[in-house]
Every structure is written in C-alpha cells, then in structure tokens.
Amino acid sequence: MIWLLLASAAADPVAATVATMTIEEKAAQLQSTAPADAKAGLPAYDWWNEGLHGLARNGHATVFPQAIGMAATWDAPLVHRIGDVVATEARAKFNANPVGADRRIYEGLTIWSPNINIFRDPRWGRGQETYGEDPYLTGSMGVAFVTGLQGPDPLHPKVIATPKHLAVHSGPEAGRDGFDVDPSPQDLEATYLPAFRMAVTQGKAQSLMCAYNSILGTPACASGMLLNDRVRRDWGFTGFTVSDCDAVANIHLFHHYRLDAAAAAAAAIRGGNDLNCGNTYAALPEAVKRGLVSEAEVDTALARSLEARRRLGIAFGATSPWASVKADAVNTPAHRALALEAARKAIVLLQNHNQRLPLATGTKLAVIGANADDLGVLQGNYHGTAVAPVTPLEGLRRRFADVTYAQGSVLADGAPVVLPETALTGLTASYSVDGREVLRRAERRVDLDLTRVPPAPGLPVQGYVARWTGTLTPPGPGAYRLVLDQAQCWKDCSTHDTATLSLGGRVLHDGALSRGRVEIAWDSDGRAQPLELVLNHASQDETFRLLWLPPEAPLIAEAVKAAQASDVVVMVGGLSPDLEGEALQVQVPGFVGGDRSDIALPFAQQRLLGALKATGKPVVLVLASGSAVAVDPGAADAVVELWYPGEAGGTALADVLSGAVNPSGRLPITFYKATTDLPAFVDYGMKERTYRYFTGTPLWGFGHGLSYTTFGYDQVAAAPSVASGQPLRVSARVTNSGARDGEEVVQAYLVPPKVAGGGFTAPVLQRQLVGFQRVPLRAGRSATARFTIDPRMMSVVDRNGRRHIVPGAYRLWIGGGQPGSAAGQWTEFAVTGQDVELPK
C-alpha cells in the first residue's frame, strides 16, 4: 500500500500535494496573490501578469503597437512573433532569479492576455485592447498570439496565455461590475463566442478569464452553462479558468446573485471558475463548512491551477526547456526591429487627396498637435516601459530637414496635456541619491514612465530626488492650470511621493501626491518665469508628468504661425490613454469614465484643425487613437491612422509619410460618420453594428486602407460547387499595377444565401470575412493568393443559436477591401447536399 501511494505521488505530484493541504491552505493558493507554502514546496506566487502588446508593468520591455494596431497589420504570423517575444521577455525576467524565489505581481509566467472581446461599439474605452470588430479576424489574431506566447509544446509552455474576458464584455465601463447582458442566442453564437472557441480549439490556450458582467442573469464567473458546458464539454478545454479581478466579489456585492462572500465563492467554484483574482476565495473554508460547495470541487479547481505551475516548470520539481532564456533577452536588437516592423504595418492611410502623400524629405513641416510629443500616446494602456521610445515629433525631426513644432491645442476641452518643450526653455534635470548628485542632463519635458525602472542608469528604482529647473514661457497671457500628475501603482502601495513646484520664486505646491493629481491655478501675464520642480521619488508609483491646461487662443495662434511658415502641416491629434481606457476618472465633453459619449474628433481639435486649414497650407491629419474617430474628410488633405504605435511609433510614422515605407495597414474596425449611426451603447444586440450588420454608409469601412501603389485582381478561381461540410479552395491573381513596391492585404468575404426566420430585432448579415492574406509585390509583379475556406466559415447562425451550413448559391468576393470599396472580383459557387448542423 505504501508503495502504491509513493508511486501515485510520483505519477501525479499535484494530486499528492492537494491531498495533504488543509482547506485554508487550498483557499490561499486559489487567490491571485498566493502565499508561500513550505509544506507543499510552493514559493509565493502572484498569478497576475500582463502582456497585451509587450510584457507590462515590470520595468523595461519591448513595447509593440497596442492590440488594435496589431490587428490593423492583418498579419497573423507577425502577431505570432510578437507573442513569442513577449514570452521570451517574461522568461528572461523570471529566470533572473532562482526558480524557487517568491514572485510578486507582474513577475510570473501566467500572462492575462490577449483580450479577444469583440469591439462592437467605438465608444468602449477598452476597445483598444482588442483585435477589432470581426470574430474571424479577432480569432485568427488571438490564435496567433496565444500560440506565440505558449510555444510549440503544450506540456512545456513558454508562458501560459489567458484569453479574456469570457464573454459578451465590451463596455460601458461604468456599471461593469454589476451589468447584466442579455444577448440573443444568435448573437452569442455568431459574434461573441467564435474567437474564444478558436483560441481554445485551435490556439490550445491553457487558461481563460471570465468577465465582470452577467449573462442572462448569471454572473459570467459563476456560469456553469458557459464555463462548464460550453468551454469544457463542447470545446474540450482542459486548462484553468481565472476570474477578472474582483469579479468573484462582485457576485454578491454588485450582482446580488448571492448574499455574502462564502456563497459567492461557492457559486464561482461550482460554476467552473478555478482561480480568484482577488481575495474572495478566502471565504471557501466557510463555504465548505456550510455545505455550499464540496471540498472535492475545491480540489478540482486547485489541481487545475497547480498543474499550470508544474507545466511551466516552476513547481513540484518540474523543469522547463525555457529556463535557459538569459536575463538579457529583453529589448534586443531583433525585438526592437520587430516593434518597428509592426508599427509600420499597423499604420493605415485612410485618405490621400491629390496624392498629397508621400512627402519629400526636403519638405518644410509644421508638426502640430497634443499627441505629437507624448510618451503615453506611444505606449497605450497595459504597457511596459520602453527603453528608447520615439515620439512622432522626434521621428519626423530625424527624417525631415526642417521641422517646426507647436502644440496647438489640448486633446479635449478641460483635459490637461503634457507641458510641451516650446514652453520650457533650458530645462535641466538633476537626480540625487542621499544628497549626492548622480546625474545632470537636459530634458525636453517632464514626462516619465517610472514603472519599476530608474529614470537613468546608475539610479535606483526608488529613493532618489529629481530636480528640474528652467524657464516656463507661456504662448500668451491668460488663465492657466498646471498639473502634477502621477499614476498610482496598481497594488501594495505603502508610500506616495512628494513634490514641490515653484514658479517665479513662488511656491505653488509643496506636499504629497497621494491623490495622484494636483491642479494649480496660474494667472499669467505672458512673461517668462523661472521654474523649479522637485520630486522626492520614494514610492512605487508609476509615472510622473508636468501637465497644463492653457488658454486656447494663444496656443492656436502659435500653431497658425508655424503653419504659415511651412510647406505642409502635419497635425498629430486623435485621442489618448488619458481619455479612453479602463475605468478612468475622467469626465470632459465627449468622454466619461474611460468611455466616449461622442465619436467625433474632440471640439478643441476641430477648432485647431479649422484654423490650420484656413491658412491654405496642405494638412496631413494623423490620428493616434485606440478606436475610430469621426472626422470631416474635407478638413484635411490626407488622413493617417497611427493607433497607439509602441516604442517605434515616431520612426514608423516618418517612414510612411516620407514614402520610405509604403503604408499597408487595414482597418480592423468600422469608422462611422457620427455617433447617431450607432445603437444605444448599452444595447448588446448586433443589429446595425459592425460591418457585418451595419446597413448605412461608413466614413471608412472595415478592411479599408490605401497604398502609394495600386493593385488589380483577376483569374479568381473556385470550384463551381462543394458538398456541404467540405472546405472550399479558391485562388486569385493579384497584380501590383503601380510604380511602387507594396504589400496588399487580400481579403475574402462570403455572402451566404438568405435564410428564412428573421425578425424585427434579428440582425441581417451583409457579408462576413472568411480569409485574409498579406501579399508583398514589387511594382509590376503578380502573385497568386490562395485560400481554403473552412466549412465553419461557410455556416450561418439561426435565431435559435444553431450553426448550420445551408445548401444554395453563395457569393465570394476576393479583393483589397469589402465588396465595392476596393479592387477585387466576385465568384459564385453552390453548396450541395443536406443542411448540416455544426457543433457549438
């Protein structure tokens, strides 16, 4: 008997460990911040780590374009390579310490990315984290990222990916903790679940995160229908599930689905949620005592979770081939090159009237706009700290010989922006430790990302004093507001920094930054004033910026003067992570709580754009944003979507504007003309949403993107018929008919036969993406694009949520965008045989 027990322990050390633990010890290991357990041989491990578009919140890392920008590349192999780099950098940081060392938040190998929710409405502030509005594009990018993160061997993953947030989650941010979503069976199957199914069945994701919201009255993290039946039974998922942070507490605090923490924890375990991001599972011992959940059910959840640590080679004596990744494998030359490639491919040329772009490098530029020289706009949200970020202004200065800069406006009325270099003369920074100056250097602005990194080599991460001195010269007299802005650390913040701001010899602030933002009124007569800013950086707080909210008239006048002296105006505007994002404390015209109430270019920028256009100079509008921005096409000669482009964004923009790189990005979302085109934000029905169901005319459609060359299509070939349930193979010849080399994104859209049984609230499918492929072509050259259309992509979903392949006549478009919006050709084929219902 003893021999059998020993053999069993050797065969399954996880089960053997679980069998020795008390219910209290089990509950502790099922919370995101798991303590060390000496008896079990487990060091402390925080399960929470992020890698949305680069390893996040743990010091220096390669920062890639935000996820929506990655989707705009329409390049799944590229996204796979990015996932591999994120995993490499996570392993490099993990391997810098012994495998048995304790791990705090953002130091583990369980990566809570990607976000594969459907970006159904451009008002959602977190849409920037997704791969857009289409289930197939989202699923394809999600599979690529998951497989890049986890690597080729499921028994020895490089890291573990966690697609999120399952399911039907896409705003509003306000009320997300207790919001109930009632999707129709059709929308659930046709729109909200396919990407997750692909991530599990094709990507083999080893973890999934459930969402804050309820679905049909049941909190997602307690939904057995979702987590047990659909995910495990129907899709064959064998990994562990984790709640969104504090979502288990929300079960009783906001959903009122259960009355206390013990009952909420029991509901989550029984509903199929294994790991709790948060601490509500501390009530599991009480839940077991009250008979709300069995200890065996807790054991199942714990075994799934601990098995992940074993597979990663970080517990139970297991080893990993990835333990050989060196600590210096972070932000390597190859990683930086990949970030630049991704930023270039993500840029979408939306409009190019009279072929205004590209620009000769001898062009005299006026670079204007609040996003032209802002670090946060490069990095987006959920980001790492870039080693050598290049803003649009810096990139354009390196590429073009004559560049004048003016900020021109704030992003939105009432929203402060980084105080620009044009207002700071002779700014010098001095960094001291224990009263001894370690470094003195010139800086252009006060805009620092301090997330677990020092501001310069030779300095500690915390425990130093930074002192900036210089002259603040406002663009004119008026009422100003100066803002000391410090983003607070996400967890375990025991101290906060203090700062002193003096202007003209008068102390305007001297004290703590515990609230994160200190606003100071300053009435200026327009004259220059000596400035001194001292930061005592004793905390783990993440950023420090000197912002301002200036009067509009002198700022616009400064921009108009710069424009009048230029050949071409490049206005870098759009949005920012200060305005759109997760649960933000912002409420200004057009924005509330991280979401948007109006999708138009904010009024402050509209006024600036109008003033620039009135100068008669050609205007190139560059939109840095995480979502669609509705602009007047007549307000600019050319319009470029930059997204939040990552560390190499400025270099990539300069490459594209100068023609050194031919733009090849395509929209992963629809740009609507106005907010009035959209249904109510809180309505999760898909009718009149996304290109698949929208019956209006967009500003720029999903899949749109221009090039400096032209492409043509012919010789589209497909079998005239295919048996129901069989794949369809189709090919088309693509020709670069222009004078420049370029890359075309070939897109395949299917129009199925009309299916009876629609209704007043049922969305009417216009078309759906079923394939895409990047094709690089030299000028005058041709290539053949080939697709194999999976039978599941030829299916339709009826109002009962059943997915089936309908016999009949189908139309397939192969082209550079949606049917009728770009060059391409139709072909037709028939599906023969019986109506075939497909598994969920």
Side-chain angles (χ1 to χ4, degrees), residues 803-826:
R803 182 179 291 277
H804 50 114
I805 300 175
V806 181
Y810 287 70
R811 303 178 72 207
L812 183 69
W813 168 268
I814 306 292
Q818 290 187 53
S821 66
Q825 281 194 353
W826 285 103

Side-chain angles (χ1 to χ4, degrees), residues 546-565:
L546 177 57
L547 312 177
W548 72 345
L549 193 59
E552 180 175 81
L555 218 58
I556 288 184
E558 191 177 50
V560 167
K561 182 179 178 180
Q564 290 171 335

Side-chain angles (χ1 to χ4, degrees), residues 79-88 142-152 158-159 161 203:
V79 172
H80 176 89
R81 287 188 285 147
I82 292 172
D84 179 62
V85 167
V86 175
T88 294
V143 168
F145 197 67
V146 166
T147 55
L149 285 173
Q150 295 187 166
K158 201 172 190 179
V159 300

Side-chain angles (χ1 to χ4, degrees), residues 670-835:
T670 300
F671 273 50
Y672 302 93
K673 291 180 178 178
T675 311
T676 51
D677 285 341
L678 301 167
F681 190 14
V682 295
D683 178 7
Y684 272 71
M686 291 305 297
K687 185 177 182 180
E688 295 297 335
R689 291 192 183 279
T690 78
Y691 80 96
R692 296 192 304 151
Y693 304 114
F694 182 56
T695 58
T697 302
L699 183 61
W700 293 295
F702 173 89
H704 171 75
L706 303 177
S707 171
Y708 295 150
T709 189
T710 55
F711 298 95
Y713 289 78
D714 63 2
Q715 299 183 14
V716 177
S721 64
V722 61
S724 183
Q726 296 300 307
L728 174 74
R729 291 174 177 81
V730 60
S731 62
R733 187 172 69 173
V734 189
T735 300
N736 183 342
S737 51
R740 288 177 177 263
D741 298 346
E743 284 195 60
E744 172 72 317
V745 176
V746 184
Q747 303 166 40
Y749 293 89
L750 186 71
V751 179
K754 299 296 182 184
V755 179
F760 181 74
T761 61
V764 178
L765 181 66
Q766 308 296 308
R767 58 187 64 91
Q768 60 185 16
L769 181 73
V770 294
F772 61 92
Q773 180 182 339
R774 262 188 177 261
V775 180
L777 284 172
R778 294 188 178 278
R781 298 291 182 88
S782 299
T784 299
R786 292 183 170 85
F787 298 95
T788 299
I789 312 300
D790 185 270
R792 195 170 187 88
M793 298 310 302
M794 291 187 280
S795 63
V796 294
V797 179
D798 63 24
R799 295 196 68 188
N800 293 318
R802 295 178 301 190
R803 182 179 291 277
H804 50 114
I805 300 175
V806 181
Y810 287 70
R811 303 178 72 207
L812 183 69
W813 168 268
I814 306 292
Q818 290 187 53
S821 66
Q825 281 194 353
W826 285 103
T827 188
E828 298 183 357
F829 66 96
V831 171
T832 61
Q834 301 296 314
D835 186 309

Side-chain angles (χ1 to χ4, degrees), residues 122-485:
R123 288 169 287 197
W124 186 35
R126 295 190 70 181
Q128 61 180 285
E129 302 172 25
T130 76
Y131 298 126
E133 69 183 40
D134 180 73
Y136 179 69
L137 179 64
T138 296
S140 299
M141 294 300 184
V143 168
F145 197 67
V146 166
T147 55
L149 285 173
Q150 295 187 166
D153 183 357
L155 296 180
H156 299 93
K158 201 172 190 179
V159 300
I160 286 179
T162 308
K164 61 184 183 185
H165 310 82
L166 186 69
V168 201
H169 179 74
S170 50
E173 284 296 288
R176 67 179 185 173
D177 294 313
F179 189 62
D180 181 45
V181 183
D182 296 320
S184 69
Q186 185 180 44
D187 287 339
L188 190 64
E189 175 62 31
T191 297
Y192 292 115
L193 293 182
F196 286 99
R197 187 184 192 278
M198 291 175 68
V200 170
T201 62
Q202 298 178 33
K204 307 299 181 185
Q206 296 193 24
S207 177
L208 287 173
M209 177 179 285
C210 52
Y212 285 123
N213 54 275
S214 286
I215 303 173
L216 302 172
T218 302
C221 291
S223 175
M225 175 275 293
L226 181 66
L227 301 179
N228 292 328
D229 298 345
R230 185 61 61 92
V231 169
R232 293 194 183 276
R233 183 193 65 196
D234 296 341
W235 299 348
F237 177 70
T238 59
F240 74 93
T241 54
V242 58
S243 73
D244 203 345
C245 294
D246 294 323
V248 177
N250 293 349
I251 291 173
H252 73 97
L253 292 176
F254 292 98
H255 292 288
H256 308 295
Y257 184 75
R258 293 292 185 268
L259 296 181
D260 60 18
I269 288 285
R270 303 200 74 183
N273 181 71
D274 299 319
L275 187 71
N276 169 208
C277 179
N279 55 22
T280 304
Y281 274 8
L284 279 174
E286 180 185 349
V288 171
K289 182 179 179 180
R290 287 163 52 183
L292 301 175
V293 66
S294 70
E295 190 164 353
E297 289 171 302
V298 175
D299 289 353
T300 297
L302 181 58
R304 290 169 180 162
S305 303
L306 294 183
E307 172 62 18
R309 293 176 69 173
R310 190 193 68 79
R311 288 193 177 197
L312 288 165
I314 60 175
F316 308 108
T319 59
S320 172
W322 306 110
S324 62
V325 176
K326 302 299 183 183
D328 62 358
V330 175
N331 200 245
T332 66
H335 296 179
R336 293 193 295 273
L338 184 60
L340 177 57
E341 178 187 352
R344 286 168 169 168
K345 287 183 173 181
I347 292 173
V348 183
L349 178 58
L350 296 172
Q351 175 176 292
N352 195 18
H353 289 163
N354 301 316
Q355 303 301 303
R356 175 57 59 189
L357 296 176
L359 303 172
T361 54
T363 303
K364 188 175 183 179
L365 294 186
V367 177
I368 292 167
N371 279 346
D373 197 31
D374 186 294
L375 176 61
V377 167
L378 290 181
Q379 296 190 147
N381 72 355
Y382 282 94
H383 62 84
T385 301
V387 174
V390 181
T391 67
L393 177 61
E394 292 173 301
L396 293 169
R397 279 175 170 165
R398 295 175 188 179
R399 177 69 65 174
F400 292 86
D402 193 340
V403 172
T404 303
Y405 166 59
Q407 192 172 63
S409 76
V410 294
L411 286 172
D413 292 316
V417 292
V418 172
L419 201 153
E421 65 170 40
T422 52
L424 294 169
T425 306
L427 187 66
T428 301
S430 169
Y431 297 91
S432 302
V433 178
D434 296 329
R436 179 180 60 86
E437 184 177 80
V438 176
L439 173 69
R440 177 180 290 267
R441 66 185 181 189
E443 294 186 356
R444 296 191 300 110
R445 64 201 188 284
V446 182
D447 186 11
L448 299 177
D449 182 352
L450 305 173
T451 309
R452 297 188 180 179
V453 298
L459 286 163
V461 172
Q462 59 195 98
Y464 60 84
V465 174
R467 183 185 305 272
W468 292 270
T469 56
T471 302
L472 197 166
T473 305
Y480 290 75
R481 293 192 73 81
L482 301 177
V483 180
L484 302 178
D485 183 75

Side-chain angles (χ1 to χ4, degrees), residues 505-597:
R506 184 165 64 95
V507 176
L508 302 182
H509 175 78
D510 185 8
L513 299 173
S514 57
R515 292 177 298 158
R517 175 169 287 195
V518 176
E519 296 195 13
I520 305 152
W522 175 49
D523 291 323
S524 170
D525 59 7
R527 293 182 295 179
Q529 299 287 334
L531 176 144
E532 182 180 60
L533 174 60
V534 180
L535 173 71
N536 183 359
H537 188 58
S539 73
Q540 297 181 41
D541 290 336
E542 297 175 335
T543 64
F544 183 68
R545 303 181 296 172
L546 177 57
L547 312 177
W548 72 345
L549 193 59
E552 180 175 81
L555 218 58
I556 288 184
E558 191 177 50
V560 167
K561 182 179 178 180
Q564 290 171 335
S566 71
D567 298 325
V568 174
V569 176
V570 177
M571 177 177 157
V572 187
L575 309 174
S576 91
D578 289 335
L579 296 173
E580 58 171 353
E582 182 178 5
L584 300 181
Q585 299 299 312
V586 59
Q587 189 164 354
V588 297
F591 303 89
V592 56
D595 293 324
R596 300 159 69 193
S597 55

